[in-house]
Amino acid sequence: MIRHFLRVLSIGLAGLIPTALAAETAPGAMALRFIGEKSIPPHTDVAGTRVGGLSGLAFNAATNSWIALSDDRSEKAPARFYTLTLAYDAAAFHDARIDKAVPLLDTGGQPFPLRGVDPEALRLHAGSGALYWTSEGDTTAGIDPVLRAAAADGRFLREIKLPARYRVSADGKIDLKRGPRNNLAFEGLALSPDAQTLIVALENALIQDGPKASLTETSPVRIATFDIASGQPGPEWVYVTDPIPQAPAKAGGFADNGVSDILALDDGALLVMERGYSTGKGNSIRLYRTDKQNATDVSGIDALAGAAWTPLGKTLVLDLATLGVALDNFEGMDFGPRLPNGNRTLVLVSDDNFNDAQVTKFLAFEIVDTAANQGRPH
């Protein structure tokens, strides 16, 4: 049963303020009203593929439909994305339905081989129809992260060349002293409001930049930009994650925290989703709004460790633990259609890791009284 919360969760200078009605927000603040949730039944099969691992989400305003990227490394079926229908309004989340599976194709027009790619983030470029997506690669096999574009039918369109610091090998040899950490590379992808720039976020720090997140340490995450027309890299900034929010139930148990997706807001800020997990405790999901003021462009700094730089500012928008719903491994998000009152919506999706103990879940929100409601039409 969908739990419908009428409260508004607002972040201002005073912090988290749950109220019965829409609260005033400080300039640049952002408020979200939770609409509801919908889940995909476990073991849903579409075109012979098991639906799962949904880690990237994009809204197609032209068709009023959605696209979700699976992070299956061609282990359960060829690497793919899905088209889907999400039906919600201001009152409730009514339906979530998977419509079609589309295989991603490599540069030769073939499905990716077993473990040949690790899809993570997805954005739709409405002007060209290109689907930009990232792969984290595999440092253990010397496979570099990639930033590519596919057509609506999955065909390869282009690949954007990455600066050397994002590659896992040099001269064919894996370099364990620099580059991305395994499974902690390109996890978030955004498109600038003018649709001219791609913005890519690591999940945790490059090896030469600093530590990965721990119970006591933050992680300096690079957020890189690329000009879509030329493919050339642009400015980079640093987003500093929280430490892992909660210790595992038993000492020595697995725990992590990092950036799982990003969205560009119309005022130049970013909405960042941090996703944490601790064995025996479950997931923690927090949304932050960044502030670029005084942040250092680190595109000319190859190693952040020992260098002088100022990170992006960050303000908590929402801790999903306050919603009162069961949380899972949320990894994708995008803005959805506007409501009749003109306010934009936001949808999050969870990656079930193809684990029967987890779920593919969508959460829908109304964006209330914020600059994010200006600008882009959808």
Side-chain angles (χ1 to χ4, degrees):
M1 180 178 181
I2 296 175
R3 299 181 64 184
H4 181 212
F5 290 77
L6 296 179
R7 64 181 173 174
V8 170
L9 296 158
S10 174
I11 297 300
L13 297 179
L16 186 64
I17 310 171
T19 64
L21 299 173
E24 288 189 13
T25 58
M30 187 172 182
L32 300 175
R33 183 182 68 82
F34 182 48
I35 294 174
E37 62 176 308
K38 268 294 180 182
S39 298
I40 300 296
H43 292 271
T44 293
D45 183 282
V46 173
T49 73
R50 178 175 167 181
V51 176
L54 303 188
S55 61
L57 187 66
F59 176 63
N60 187 341
T63 60
N64 197 36
S65 62
W66 294 78
I67 304 165
L69 182 68
S70 174
D71 68 1
D72 182 4
R73 299 185 179 190
S74 294
E75 293 174 314
K76 301 185 180 301
R80 61 205 176 277
F81 59 87
Y82 295 95
T83 60
L84 53 153
T85 300
L86 302 180
Y88 59 86
D89 53 31
F93 206 141
H94 301 288
D95 190 25
R97 183 179 68 251
I98 308 296
D99 298 321
K100 185 172 66 172
V102 182
L104 280 170
L105 304 180
D106 63 17
T107 56
Q110 299 299 313
F112 285 92
L114 177 68
R115 300 188 66 83
V117 69
D118 182 15
E120 287 294 344
L122 176 74
R123 285 291 159 244
L124 171 64
H125 188 272
S128 65
L131 295 171
Y132 284 90
W133 60 280
T134 69
S135 169
E136 286 193 305
D138 186 343
T139 63
T140 63
I143 300 175
D144 291 327
V146 297
L147 175 55
R148 287 181 173 170
D153 60 3
R155 286 179 298 110
F156 170 84
L157 293 179
R158 65 183 295 203
E159 181 170 331
I160 292 179
K161 185 178 180 180
L162 304 176
R165 59 175 154 265
Y166 296 111
R167 298 201 289 269
V168 302
S169 60
D171 300 324
K173 298 180 180 179
I174 299 175
D175 188 346
L176 300 179
K177 296 181 180 180
R178 58 183 298 106
R181 292 177 164 91
N182 194 46
N183 205 35
L184 294 175
F186 290 159
E187 191 77 18
L189 181 62
L191 184 65
S192 64
D194 62 8
Q196 295 183 16
T197 305
L198 288 168
I199 309 165
V200 189
L202 295 167
E203 184 173 352
N204 264 219
L206 296 174
I207 294 171
Q208 69 267 27
D209 284 344
K212 64 180 182 179
S214 70
L215 292 170
T216 58
E217 291 189 284
T218 61
S219 187
V221 170
R222 285 186 188 253
I223 295 181
T225 64
F226 296 88
D227 179 75
I228 291 179
S230 67
Q232 292 300 304
E236 295 187 5
W237 296 278
V238 181
Y239 175 88
V240 178
T241 71
D242 294 343
I244 297 172
Q246 52 188 351
K250 294 183 179 180
F254 177 80
D256 70 352
N257 186 59
V259 173
S260 61
D261 207 358
I262 58 174
L263 283 174
L265 304 177
D266 291 315
D267 60 0
L270 294 173
L271 182 65
V272 178
M273 180 158 57
E274 287 194 40
R275 180 272 328 273
Y277 174 78
S278 294
T279 304
K281 296 287 186 66
N283 288 102
S284 59
I285 312 293
R286 296 173 179 174
L287 298 177
Y288 287 95
R289 184 186 187 281
T290 67
D291 179 1
K292 198 183 296 183
Q293 186 176 8
N294 300 321
T296 305
D297 175 2
V298 298
S299 58
I301 304 175
D302 192 53
L304 298 178
W309 47 271
T310 301
L312 293 165
K314 56 188 284 192
T315 302
L316 181 65
V317 173
L318 175 63
D319 184 340
L320 270 64
T322 64
L323 293 180
V325 301
L327 299 183
D328 212 287
N329 179 36
F330 285 92
E331 290 202 354
M333 60 180 177
D334 199 9
F335 297 119
R338 291 184 183 272
L339 297 173
N341 63 8
N343 286 346
R344 299 180 76 180
T345 58
L346 174 72
V347 176
L348 277 58
V349 65
S350 64
D351 171 0
D352 69 351
N353 291 312
F354 296 97
N355 185 334
D356 289 344
Q358 295 181 249
V359 65
T360 298
K361 179 184 290 191
F362 298 90
L363 302 179
F365 299 86
E366 177 184 7
I367 303 174
V368 184
D369 295 333
T370 171
N373 272 317
Q374 306 303 315
R376 287 169 284 185
H378 68 264

